[in-house]
Amino acid sequence: MPTISVDKAELFERLGHHYTTEEFDSLCFDYGLELDEDTTAEVEAAIKKGLPAERPQLKIEVPANRYDLVCLEGISRALRAFLGKQDPPQYTLAYPPGGEKDLITVTVSQETQRIRPFFACAVLRNIKFTSMSYASFIDLQDKLHQNIGRRRSLVAIGTHDLDTLTPPFRYEARTPTNISFAPLGRETAHTAAELMQIYESDKHLSRYLHIIRDSDVYPIIYDAKDHVLSMPPIINSEHSKITLETKNVFIDTTATDDTKLQIVINMVASMFSEYCAEPFTIEPCKIVFPDGSTRISPDITPRTVTARASYINSCTSLSLTPSTIQSLLTRMTLSPTLSPDDPDALIVSLPCTRPDIFHEVDIMEDAAVAYGFNNLPDIFPQTSTVAQPLPISKLADVIRKEWAMAGWVEALPFILCSHEENFSFMNRPDPGSLAVKIANPKTLEFQVVRTSLLPGLLKTIRENRSHALPVRVFELSDVVFKDTSRERQARNERHAGAVWCSRSAGFEVVHGLLDRAMKMLEVPRVGRGDGKDVGYYIKEGDDPAYFPGRAATIYYRPPPSKTSKTRELADELKNTLHINQDRDIVIGTLGVLHPTVLEKFEITYPCSALEFNMEVFLKRS
Amino acid sequence: MAEQLQQLILDTLDTQSTLQDSRALKIPGQSSPASSHDAQITILGALNSLLSREMITYETHEVSSHVLTPEGVQIVREGSHEARVWAALPERGGAPLSAQDLKRAVGDEAAKVGQGRAFKSGWIAKEGNGFVKAVSNITDTTHTELRELESSGTLVAGEKALAELRKRKLIIQRKGQWFTVHKGANFSTSIAKPETDLTVDMLTSGSWKKSTFKKYNFDADGIPTSGGALHPILKVREEIRSIFLEMGFEEMPTGTFVESGFWCFDALFVPQLHPARELQDTFYLSDPSTSLPPPSDYYERVAHVHEHGGYDSIGYRTPWSHEESHKLLLRTHTTASSAAMLYKLAAKCRGEDIDGDLSAKSQPGAANLSDDGFRPAKLFSIDRVFRNETMDATHLAEFHQVEGVVADRNLTLADLIGFMRTFFRKMGMKNLRFKPAYNPYTEPSLEIFAWHPLLEKWVEIGNSGMFRPEMLAPMGFPPDVRVHGWGIGLERPTMIRYGVSNIRTLVGHKTSIENVENSPAVMF
């Protein structure tokens, strides 16, 4: 959300009321703005101390889709309408006295299509800047560059003193060595190639160089006398720069996205057209494209849409008449009229300053904002449904509570960890097919999504050295594995993990914790190949995370599948033949952690660990 | 011995009613009255034991007394150094004892000190290379005085003599106590030992009826329990989960930390160039890096509404990138899971059958024509989300998001507010207000503010809104179906609940196990 800084006295002057901070905060809240800061107290304190001080400013956060609110001119226009003090202005195109034939023409060359294909422009005639409005004009361009322009990569704006230039203009793209001009703030001419080098060390401009640097041609705008206007999106020329005295302003915008380009040119022109001798008028230009087609720019024609009172009411639990809605929408700078044909409909004319409106739902929102969200009727919906916990959450909670009752403490480590914590610290090689890897972590702490709960538990023990022994920690949470069969190429798996740390390793302690979990899940201990239907058992294993001879694998024998008769028969046959152990699946490991693992995690006491997959215990319906 | 002493005190009180000076007692087995410091300590033990049974009361008197140093003790046993030197020497006329032999006879220390003092007192004399007795009788005053002091704790001779002995480091001064003892409330001459606890033996024998019990110290701590503990954040999670369940919500599956740009953003009508999708905000995956194609019809509809509009929307009108849509990432919000769940919920509206419900498919004619397959749903989830943030006291790269979603026909903005008022009232937040906000996938969007009675200001607690038609229509929902959503963080209410200001002490491996063990229960 962009934050803008506006002159407090000037804004209140325009709103025709001197608000207290609380009053203004409340007005902002209702409109959907947020008053971040009022610098009045700060300024007064500075003046008291005899320090230089600016005029008091209001810092206001505005919604990211409301580009019409990022300058003093726009925000005061919107709030005046909201307060019902002024109908929204109607922006119009003012053609030169000779009509269309006298329009300033800009020809777009074919080469521009390779680097920055879209172009739009506008002229503001007989403008009168004050130092405040001049600063606001520069600031608006900067806000648009940063936000919708995505740091000038999508859209860039150039503004020029039209009286220093000779139309018609040409928007071209040339090789960097074929461009030479004196850029803003410099008296001598440089080639574009030189400028790219000069600006390398410029704190402000260096951020934009990458947008065109590697292109074989750079965008450039010329007038009829080959004066450069600007080299978008980097810099304007010194020759055509605007000053406080500038009377006629030419605005150029170039872009890689046509929709955003139109929004930007409309925004700049409409916001500052209020300073023209004839306020809210914009002189258009004619753009000739490489294919010979032409376009009058800017296109500020309001978009006309239909909004239904019945729809707005059905979305808000209100019963507003179309004419009430009409006045609500007018307060939001829209221009609605009642439909002559349909008593339910309003014909809403959307000004070019409101490109945030996509759908009838956006008009409904404007009506609701003007009505006041906090004034809506206090009701409770009728929607009747049955509560249902997620089976895996319920299952995990059973074991969480049992283990806590058994004296174990729940830990909550991070799910992301470093590659070595997940693999080499655990003596486990990375097969490459297991863990999901992060491309752009800011720190080495977050390189992979964990495939085991144990590293997090071991880090928890490491950070709790001062805790009395034994330390008993557990976690029931998700790990993630690569899974190429799935759309998202990965799957979560709910695991249960625990680590015991004390003066002796205590294999039997974590074994007991496993037995307890199984008892609570009614999974009996069975023997390998003993023909029982369902159960678990452990067997010596070889996971390198554990001490040799003190490592075990946990096996689970799921209940026989009941999905088909044939399966049942097959299972029956297997049972009689005592070959059912091929149904047994590995669900986890337990053991005494290897001393080299402890060393990696900087733990000086022996530990035993347990980890197994919980998903197999979900009741299948 | 202890019991005998207690009995003696009680008997004395019985006859004298008050024991004025405990120094007058003769401790059983001792020949003289208990005037020494150590004897009074022994008596104090007996008195406290009787006091705890309220059989006596006593007053303490401070007194300063003297005790012997180890050297003093030696003198009491063996005589003063000078006396020992004198005793070791022959009578005048005998063969004088050399200094060497004297040392051998009485030891280095006694010879050195005793020789000087004996000379000064005129007890010995020098003869040739050795020493002889100068007098035939001596009075060893030092020895006498120390013996007197040992038995009485003081000297009749008075302070000057005491000062001299202190100077010679034969005695040191010690603060002492003596006591005046009175009968207590439970006075008796019988000292049955009080019981500390009721035991099974007492129940069996019935002795509890006659036993006296030691007074219990109610100020002492109980013995700590040995059970484990659940993590405070997950206790708050459980409490919020029950609120949703109380309100009839169904828990959504959220077991997909890895999502594609499509499900995390595109399906929600978040534009492909939205800042939230940039590398500095979202964790993208390098391996695997690309998703398989989403359901193709749905994907086409989503791409179309972004690029060209549709469903009465003009759309973003910006070019669509398949690559952006297929990028794999760690979900930045659980709304990605909600989108998948809503897509599933709309399956019947699309005429699909993804739950294996065969009857619906096999009898299309039998279905009520007005039934478009939609069923209302109230859904919730609480699970982990990931943001590529630099961690500080209030930001983590992973945290928990709480999300509620309601889908029904003709739901209104007032319904959404009604749901939230009920939900947050159950969390203890009664005073709410809602600020219009912008969110790419909800319209209207509302920021939720609650009045914080301690901070005395409105604080933002979450976000909410009605999902946009551009998100719902491509899923296949009928136009009159509206879907509400609201979300809050789990960490923030937990920090407020436990008064924690640094989130890193709450989440992650740096959490103190002791804090987990001692975090109180959560009841909103």
Side-chain angles (χ1 to χ4, degrees):
Chain A
M1 225 159 70
T3 301
I4 64 157
S5 187
V6 297
D7 188 280
K8 183 177 172 181
E10 176 70 17
L11 178 65
F12 287 1
E13 186 63 38
R14 285 171 183 240
L15 299 183
H17 183 76
H18 287 263
Y19 292 88
T20 64
T21 304
E22 288 71 31
E23 284 170 349
F24 188 69
D25 181 66
S26 165
L27 173 64
C28 284
F29 192 95
D30 291 341
Y31 194 76
L33 305 168
E34 199 165 329
L35 178 62
D36 262 4
E37 200 186 340
D38 177 349
T39 67
T40 309
E42 204 176 294
V43 169
E44 281 169 357
I47 291 169
K48 236 181 203 168
K49 285 186 197 155
L51 296 170
E54 293 179 346
R55 290 157 59 94
Q57 302 284 306
L58 297 172
K59 297 196 172 148
I60 304 170
E61 271 187 46
V62 305
N65 64 339
R66 290 292 299 272
Y67 307 111
D68 60 318
L69 302 178
V70 297
C71 61
L72 170 79
E73 291 73 13
I75 208 165
S76 55
R77 230 173 273 170
L79 288 177
R80 278 177 67 83
F82 186 63
L83 293 164
K85 299 200 170 185
Q86 183 189 46
D87 280 351
Q90 304 297 318
Y91 306 98
T92 52
L93 292 184
Y95 278 71
E100 192 168 336
K101 73 173 170 42
D102 283 354
L103 287 179
I104 291 173
T105 306
V106 183
T107 310
V108 178
S109 83
Q110 182 62 45
E111 285 71 32
T112 59
Q113 304 304 298
R114 282 159 47 198
I115 171 72
R116 211 168 169 82
F118 302 105
F119 185 89
C121 57
V123 171
L124 297 177
R125 286 284 178 191
N126 297 312
I127 209 162
K128 206 166 159 46
F129 280 124
T130 62
S131 58
M132 195 182 291
S133 62
Y134 180 83
S136 178
F137 191 49
I138 304 297
D139 200 42
L140 171 67
Q141 293 171 49
D142 189 49
K143 283 278 172 334
L144 295 172
H145 275 150
Q146 298 310 316
N147 294 304
I148 185 172
R150 195 55 48 85
R151 296 176 294 281
R152 301 193 190 180
S153 61
L154 300 180
V155 188
I157 310 156
T159 51
H160 312 278
D161 186 337
L162 182 57
D163 299 329
T164 66
L165 297 166
T166 314
F169 303 143
R170 304 176 334 261
Y171 174 43
E172 300 182 349
R174 291 189 177 189
T175 54
T177 45
N178 272 335
I179 296 170
S180 178
F181 68 102
L184 194 63
R186 283 177 191 267
E187 291 186 355
T188 51
H190 294 277
T191 65
E194 286 166 1
L195 287 176
M196 295 303 269
Q197 282 204 329
I198 292 168
Y199 292 142
E200 194 73 41
S201 56
D202 185 298
K203 212 173 112 204
H204 176 60
L205 293 177
S206 57
R207 291 178 291 166
Y208 309 120
L209 303 180
H210 72 96
I211 303 170
I212 57 166
R213 182 164 34 213
D214 297 333
S215 169
D216 58 336
V217 289
Y218 289 0
I220 184 90
I221 307 167
Y222 289 103
D223 80 349
K225 291 187 173 167
D226 285 348
H227 281 123
V228 167
L229 282 72
S230 57
M231 181 173 80
I234 313 294
I235 189 87
N236 294 338
S237 76
E238 175 71 10
H239 174 82
S240 64
K241 76 172 176 195
I242 63 164
T243 66
L244 269 174
E245 278 69 49
T246 298
K247 268 205 169 95
N248 297 303
V249 178
F250 178 77
I251 306 161
D252 79 71
T253 47
T254 55
T256 55
D257 178 317
D258 195 34
T259 304
K260 291 187 168 62
L261 174 82
Q262 302 306 331
I263 293 172
V264 168
I265 187 68
N266 287 349
M267 217 52 80
V268 180
S270 60
M271 285 301 129
F272 282 83
S273 61
E274 79 172 64
Y275 298 116
C276 291
E278 200 181 320
F280 307 117
T281 60
I282 299 155
E283 180 179 308
C285 306
K286 187 160 114 188
I287 301 173
V288 182
F289 291 100
D291 64 359
S293 66
T294 61
R295 185 195 261 181
I296 301 298
S297 170
D299 179 4
I300 58 165
T301 322
R303 197 160 68 86
T304 302
V305 294
T306 305
R308 293 158 297 155
S310 56
Y311 171 75
I312 291 169
N313 285 329
S314 88
C315 287
T316 52
S317 295
L318 294 172
S319 325
L320 306 171
T321 61
S323 65
T324 310
I325 292 172
Q326 183 184 22
S327 63
L328 291 176
L329 294 179
T330 306
R331 286 174 49 210
M332 301 303 290
T333 69
L334 309 185
S335 300
T337 50
L338 301 180
S339 164
D341 315 317
D342 181 350
D344 186 36
L346 295 106
I347 312 298
V348 187
S349 163
L350 306 173
C352 67
T353 49
R354 292 298 308 275
D356 57 296
I357 293 177
F358 287 7
H359 185 275
E360 196 177 7
V361 75
D362 297 296
I363 294 170
M364 179 271 283
E365 188 240 11
D366 268 17
V369 170
Y371 186 87
F373 285 181
N374 298 294
N375 300 328
L376 290 173
D378 188 3
I379 55 171
F380 187 79
Q382 301 299 308
T383 308
S384 170
T385 52
V386 175
Q388 182 65 53
L390 194 65
I392 191 74
S393 304
K394 213 172 161 176
L395 179 66
D397 282 352
V398 167
I399 300 304
R400 286 177 60 231
K401 284 171 187 169
E402 288 297 339
W403 281 3
M405 283 190 271
W408 293 66
V409 176
E410 187 169 35
L412 190 69
F414 295 124
I415 283 165
L416 308 182
C417 62
S418 75
H419 184 274
E420 55 181 15
E421 284 165 354
N422 199 64
F423 292 108
S424 66
F425 277 21
M426 296 299 296
N427 288 343
R428 289 169 173 165
D430 176 5
S433 55
L434 211 58
V436 158
K437 295 182 178 105
I438 297 168
N440 59 328
K442 283 192 176 127
T443 68
L444 296 181
E445 282 176 279
F446 304 132
Q447 293 172 307
V448 297
V449 185
R450 65 182 179 187
T451 57
S452 161
L453 300 179
L454 298 185
L457 291 171
L458 290 172
K459 285 195 279 179
T460 305
I461 289 176
R462 180 185 72 202
E463 298 297 328
N464 279 278
R465 283 200 183 91
S466 58
H467 192 275
L469 293 175
V471 178
R472 291 173 285 194
V473 286
F474 77 91
E475 186 189 8
L476 270 98
S477 182
D478 283 2
V479 299
V480 171
F481 295 110
K482 276 192 191 173
D483 186 341
T484 51
S485 69
R486 300 195 179 213
E487 184 187 325
R488 294 155 181 92
Q489 300 285 288
R491 71 166 196 283
N492 283 31
E493 200 171 278
R494 185 68 50 94
H495 277 200
V499 178
W500 154 275
C501 173
S502 193
R503 297 196 155 268
S504 59
F507 183 99
E508 66 286 358
V509 179
V510 290
H511 189 192
L513 193 67
L514 170 68
D515 291 343
R516 178 71 189 164
M518 293 302 131
K519 187 175 233 171
M520 292 302 100
L521 294 174
E522 289 186 276
V523 177
R525 183 102 180 249
V526 294
R528 214 175 147 229
D530 67 357
K532 297 246 172 64
D533 250 4
V534 57
Y536 79 104
Y537 58 92
I538 68 170
K539 205 180 105 185
E540 183 169 354
D542 56 3
D543 186 329
Y546 299 107
F547 200 49
R550 293 286 183 280
T553 308
I554 309 166
Y555 289 84
Y556 174 61
R557 187 177 305 151
S561 166
K562 287 172 190 159
T563 46
S564 78
K565 269 265 185 278
T566 353
R567 264 299 272 289
E568 225 168 291
L569 286 172
D571 285 336
E572 217 165 276
L573 191 67
K574 275 184 199 166
N575 283 342
T576 34
L577 296 174
H578 291 283
I579 52 165
N580 67 339
Q581 65 264 35
D582 67 351
R583 227 173 60 216
D584 301 354
I585 49 171
V586 172
I587 58 163
T589 57
L590 77 160
V592 172
L593 283 171
H594 201 286
T596 54
V597 172
L598 298 177
E599 196 185 334
K600 294 283 174 38
F601 285 98
E602 298 167 46
I603 296 170
T604 49
Y605 288 93
C607 292
S608 283
L610 161 70
E611 179 169 13
F612 59 92
N613 178 2
M614 287 295 298
E615 312 256 352
V616 295
F617 300 109
L618 275 175
K619 287 231 175 356
R620 312 273 172 210
S621 52
Chain B
M1 210 274 284
E3 279 183 23
Q4 286 172 318
L5 178 56
Q6 289 177 16
Q7 191 64 56
L8 172 68
I9 294 168
L10 295 175
D11 290 345
T12 311
L13 284 174
D14 196 32
T15 54
Q16 300 177 8
S17 103
T18 299
L19 171 59
Q20 275 305 336
D21 186 342
S22 59
R23 288 174 299 187
L25 275 180
K26 224 186 234 177
I27 294 176
Q30 305 274 318
S31 52
S32 51
S35 53
S36 74
H37 179 74
D38 288 346
Q40 290 300 316
I41 297 284
T42 309
I43 289 170
L44 178 63
L47 293 179
N48 280 337
S49 175
L50 293 171
L51 179 74
S52 72
R53 282 171 268 164
E54 297 182 23
M55 296 175 80
I56 59 143
T57 61
Y58 68 86
E59 295 145 22
T60 306
H61 307 277
E62 294 283 333
V63 71
S64 141
S65 70
H66 286 86
V67 292
L68 301 175
T69 62
E71 195 180 349
V73 172
Q74 192 199 352
I75 288 172
V76 168
R77 215 167 47 233
E78 297 174 7
S80 68
H81 303 307
E82 54 272 29
R84 291 173 62 207
V85 166
W86 177 81
L89 296 181
E91 298 282 346
R92 198 185 282 274
L97 197 66
S98 73
Q100 298 267 310
D101 290 339
L102 178 61
K103 272 188 193 167
R104 221 169 285 133
V106 300
D108 280 5
E109 184 70 19
K112 200 173 128 203
V113 181
Q115 197 182 309
R117 291 189 64 87
F119 263 118
K120 215 171 154 191
S121 311
W123 292 356
I124 63 169
K126 191 154 185 173
E127 206 174 277
N129 282 337
F131 306 101
V132 292
K133 280 181 176 142
V135 292
S136 53
N137 275 312
I138 58 162
T139 308
D140 188 353
T141 321
T142 309
H143 182 240
T144 320
E145 284 177 351
L146 289 178
R147 277 183 64 163
E148 182 189 344
L149 196 128
E150 188 189 30
S151 59
S152 70
T154 186
L155 280 185
V156 182
E159 178 54 33
K160 204 177 164 194
L162 286 168
E164 173 65 19
L165 291 175
R166 282 204 299 270
K167 200 176 147 198
R168 289 172 63 188
K169 294 187 179 148
L170 299 178
I171 61 169
I172 50 167
Q173 200 166 22
R174 191 188 278 172
K175 287 252 189 287
Q177 297 168 311
W178 57 276
F179 310 96
T180 302
V181 189
H182 310 277
K183 287 180 184 173
N186 297 336
F187 179 79
S188 143
T189 53
S190 144
I191 46 159
K193 194 177 168 74
E195 301 294 345
T196 52
D197 211 349
L198 186 64
T199 64
V200 62
D201 291 342
M202 291 177 202
L203 296 182
T204 325
S205 67
S207 69
W208 61 270
K209 293 173 200 155
K210 288 180 195 142
S211 303
T212 52
F213 284 85
K214 196 174 173 186
K215 226 172 136 56
Y216 190 79
N217 178 8
F218 291 97
D219 294 330
D221 287 340
I223 296 170
T225 59
S226 57
L230 297 173
H231 194 281
I233 284 208
L234 302 182
K235 290 200 267 198
V236 175
R237 178 180 73 177
E238 180 166 348
E239 189 68 7
I240 295 179
R241 227 168 132 245
S242 1
I243 292 176
F244 276 118
L245 292 172
E246 284 159 17
M247 291 175 71
F249 281 67
E250 178 184 345
E251 193 172 13
M252 284 187 266
T254 47
T256 45
F257 291 161
V258 175
E259 285 285 357
S260 59
F262 180 77
W263 287 106
C264 197
F265 300 118
D266 294 335
L268 296 170
F269 199 56
V270 175
Q272 291 197 319
L273 286 169
H274 194 274
R277 302 176 74 151
E278 288 185 20
L279 284 171
Q280 65 254 35
D281 289 316
T282 299
F283 285 117
Y284 283 91
L285 300 190
S286 56
D287 177 23
S289 63
T290 314
S291 80
L292 297 182
S296 61
D297 290 359
Y298 177 49
Y299 180 82
E300 290 304 322
R301 291 193 294 272
V302 169
H304 193 271
V305 77
H306 275 251
E307 195 169 9
H308 307 292
Y311 314 101
D312 300 321
S313 169
I314 56 172
Y316 290 116
R317 292 151 290 139
T318 53
W320 174 264
S321 157
H322 296 289
E323 190 198 338
E324 193 64 38
S325 194
H326 285 67
K327 275 185 189 167
L328 287 175
L329 46 88
L330 296 180
R331 68 170 174 221
T332 58
H333 50 189
T334 48
T335 319
S337 298
S338 305
M341 194 67 188
L342 288 170
Y343 176 71
K344 201 176 152 195
L345 184 69
K348 284 213 180 118
C349 310
R350 292 191 302 270
E352 290 169 21
D353 165 36
I354 60 176
D355 284 333
D357 183 351
L358 295 169
S359 59
K361 219 173 200 176
S362 57
Q363 305 169 298
N368 184 344
L369 285 177
S370 67
D371 184 358
D372 54 18
F374 174 74
R375 297 288 177 275
K378 296 197 299 222
L379 309 164
F380 80 96
S381 65
I382 310 176
D383 208 346
R384 207 83 65 114
V385 297
F386 306 86
R387 303 269 169 94
N388 198 1
E389 299 227 32
T390 312
M391 297 203 284
D392 62 28
T394 53
H395 293 88
L396 290 176
E398 35 183 290
F399 54 94
H400 293 82
Q401 189 183 328
V402 178
E403 181 155 329
V405 172
V406 183
D408 202 353
R409 294 185 198 278
N410 295 312
L411 279 179
T412 73
L413 189 56
D415 289 327
L416 170 61
I417 291 176
F419 258 122
M420 290 193 287
R421 286 199 193 281
T422 308
F423 176 81
F424 286 107
R425 198 179 302 125
K426 278 172 173 277
M427 281 186 71
M429 288 178 261
K430 293 179 181 70
N431 202 355
L432 297 185
R433 61 176 192 166
F434 301 91
K435 179 169 104 54
Y438 167 66
N439 181 330
Y441 49 88
T442 50
E443 186 77 353
S445 307
L446 305 81
E447 281 172 5
I448 312 157
F449 284 73
W451 177 256
H452 197 297
L454 298 178
L455 299 176
E456 295 202 319
K457 64 172 189 179
W458 293 95
V459 290
E460 192 189 333
I461 51 169
N463 279 287
S464 62
M466 297 170 70
F467 287 114
R468 292 192 68 95
E470 292 93 332
M471 168 182 159
L472 300 178
M475 290 178 173
F477 283 110
D480 61 347
V481 169
R482 304 208 186 102
V483 184
H484 290 156
W486 71 91
I488 59 170
L490 184 58
E491 279 73 7
R492 185 91 165 264
T494 309
M495 288 169 82
I496 294 170
R497 166 63 184 82
Y498 289 106
V500 171
S501 57
N502 185 347
I503 195 166
R504 285 170 296 191
T505 63
L506 207 58
V507 188
H509 53 270
K510 292 193 173 158
T511 312
S512 142
I513 293 175
E514 208 177 318
N515 280 354
V516 174
E517 289 168 327
N518 294 321
S519 292
V522 181
M523 287 173 284
F524 286 127

